[in-house]
Amino acid sequence: MCLFQFTARRLISQAHCGLKASSSKKQKFCLEMARPSSNMADFREVFAKAKHIAIITGAGVSAESGVPTFRGAGGFWRKWQAQELATPGAFARNPSRVWEFYHYRRELMLSKHPNPAHIAIAECEKRLSKQGRSVVVITQNIDELHRKAGTKHLLEIHGSLFKTRCTSCGNVAANYKSPICPALAGKGAPDPDTEDAAIPVEDLPQCEEDGCNGLLRPHVVWFGEALDPGVLTAVEKELDICDLCLVVGTSSVVYPAAMFAPQVSARGVPVAEFNMEPTPATNRFRFHFPGPCGTTLPPALARHETEIIS
């Protein structure tokens, strides 16, 4: 539906530029029209009028809290990249190694804290809710830093490091144990020369539901797995009603999340991107603010002079 609309409009836009390409001056005009604005005052005017704000966040937000992204060169844990470990096949072949990887990430996250971008979003949500306005955070991150910052209306499309799912009974539960099981204590070192712990399956995290004792896995969406349809339905509803969308700290290349903001933009809703650098989707948005999210986002979401605080 929305994706078709976006694709059709994009093709029409490109065709329009082609038809008007009879001179270099007109070509330049067409290209300039596609460039997003970095005028904060203009964004603030749009922000002041918005009633339903959707904020889509990615790894760039958490990176400013010192959270590794496990992407690109150097994004290794021992000898593997996340794409090699975060799969159902990897877990089936070596659940001990995969649990060591996630145990390392869980323990690391317990030492991390929300940065000014997380806090600005949470404070904005709290303030606007008192004005009858809504803010929803749709995050690709699994670190729960938004939750730690105080965000209430949160949709975690890739799950959470601090939830588990039983491979036998399917029960999903919050789990903040440190370590998650005795056998993983002191395990998970990321150094390339570290030997696998080779923990027996019966000593890995087990389901605590009565009579189950099934093997637990992290409740995260792995490569090759579909997103939770219930979460996607909730995301769709929020994107359908939003009248302002922010894209914060995401490369806009991971699907299906990469489609969310372009779909919103395709129906004429203002989209503002806050990212270190332009992304493949940047020219589809009305605004783009380069730089660290912790620097650009707080002034963007601060109280506007026209807001009425009761």
Side-chain angles (χ1 to χ4, degrees):
M1 177 213 22
C2 291
L3 179 60
F4 173 78
Q5 289 179 342
F6 163 70
T7 304
R9 292 185 190 188
R10 182 65 172 172
L11 289 172
I12 290 170
S13 175
Q14 290 174 338
H16 179 72
C17 289
L19 289 171
K20 297 295 184 180
S22 57
S23 71
S24 59
K25 184 176 181 181
K26 290 181 179 179
Q27 273 186 324
K28 182 179 178 182
F29 173 77
C30 188
L31 290 171
E32 287 178 347
M33 288 295 289
R35 292 177 184 168
S37 167
S38 294
N39 188 311
M40 182 61 76
D42 287 349
F43 168 80
R44 295 280 290 160
E45 289 296 319
V46 174
F47 167 73
K49 299 172 184 176
K51 301 295 184 184
H52 303 284
I53 302 173
I55 304 178
I56 302 167
T57 69
V61 176
S62 295
E64 293 183 37
S65 290
V67 179
T69 62
F70 293 104
R71 288 237 183 123
F76 285 83
W77 177 84
R78 294 184 187 168
K79 304 168 186 175
W80 299 278
Q81 286 191 304
Q83 297 95 313
E84 301 174 80
L85 298 171
T87 71
F91 190 70
R93 288 189 298 271
N94 198 330
S96 174
R97 179 185 295 159
V98 173
W99 259 121
E100 277 200 86
F101 174 55
Y102 279 94
H103 171 66
Y104 163 73
R105 297 180 71 178
R106 284 167 57 95
E107 295 298 303
L108 181 68
M109 283 314 308
L110 291 174
S111 69
K112 303 302 180 182
H113 304 284
N115 62 58
H118 294 109
I119 294 168
I121 290 170
E123 290 180 346
C124 177
E125 178 195 23
K126 183 178 180 180
R127 186 181 80 249
L128 266 54
S129 68
K130 296 176 181 178
Q131 304 170 29
R133 302 161 70 191
S134 70
V135 174
V136 61
V137 176
I138 302 165
T139 188
Q140 301 170 74
N141 300 335
I142 61 174
D143 51 45
E144 293 202 2
L145 286 177
H146 282 298
R147 196 179 301 280
K148 192 180 285 189
T151 293
K152 305 297 182 186
H153 195 183
L154 180 65
L155 296 173
E156 297 166 313
I157 64 174
H158 291 159
S160 166
L161 279 173
F162 297 100
K163 289 181 181 176
T164 57
R165 183 165 80 246
C166 180
T167 58
S168 295
C169 72
N171 182 61
V172 175
N175 190 315
Y176 295 91
K177 292 179 181 178
S178 175
I180 191 170
C181 71
L184 281 166
K187 307 299 182 184
D191 304 2
D193 296 329
T194 304
E195 295 281 337
D196 279 357
I199 300 168
V201 171
E202 59 268 22
D203 293 332
L204 292 172
Q206 305 288 315
C207 181
E208 297 180 0
E209 290 293 292
D210 290 343
C212 183
N213 297 318
L215 175 64
L216 295 178
R217 57 162 280 179
H219 184 55
V220 297
V221 179
W222 282 335
F223 292 95
E225 293 184 324
L227 271 60
D228 185 317
V231 174
L232 278 179
T233 297
V235 168
E236 183 181 345
K237 289 180 179 178
E238 294 294 339
L239 296 180
D240 281 346
I241 67 169
C242 77
D243 52 6
L244 174 62
C245 179
L246 277 62
V247 183
V248 184
T250 175
S251 60
S252 295
V253 296
V254 178
Y255 286 81
M259 298 188 299
F260 294 162
Q263 288 176 2
V264 171
S265 180
R267 64 180 179 88
V269 173
V271 176
E273 182 181 58
F274 295 79
N275 209 38
M276 286 297 294
E277 55 193 22
T279 71
T282 297
N283 283 342
R284 302 172 187 175
F285 304 147
R286 186 178 300 184
F287 299 100
H288 173 75
F289 298 101
C293 306
T295 300
T296 58
L297 203 58
L301 297 183
R303 180 187 173 189
H304 191 271
E305 59 186 9
T306 63
E307 287 184 37
I308 301 174
I309 308 296
S310 58

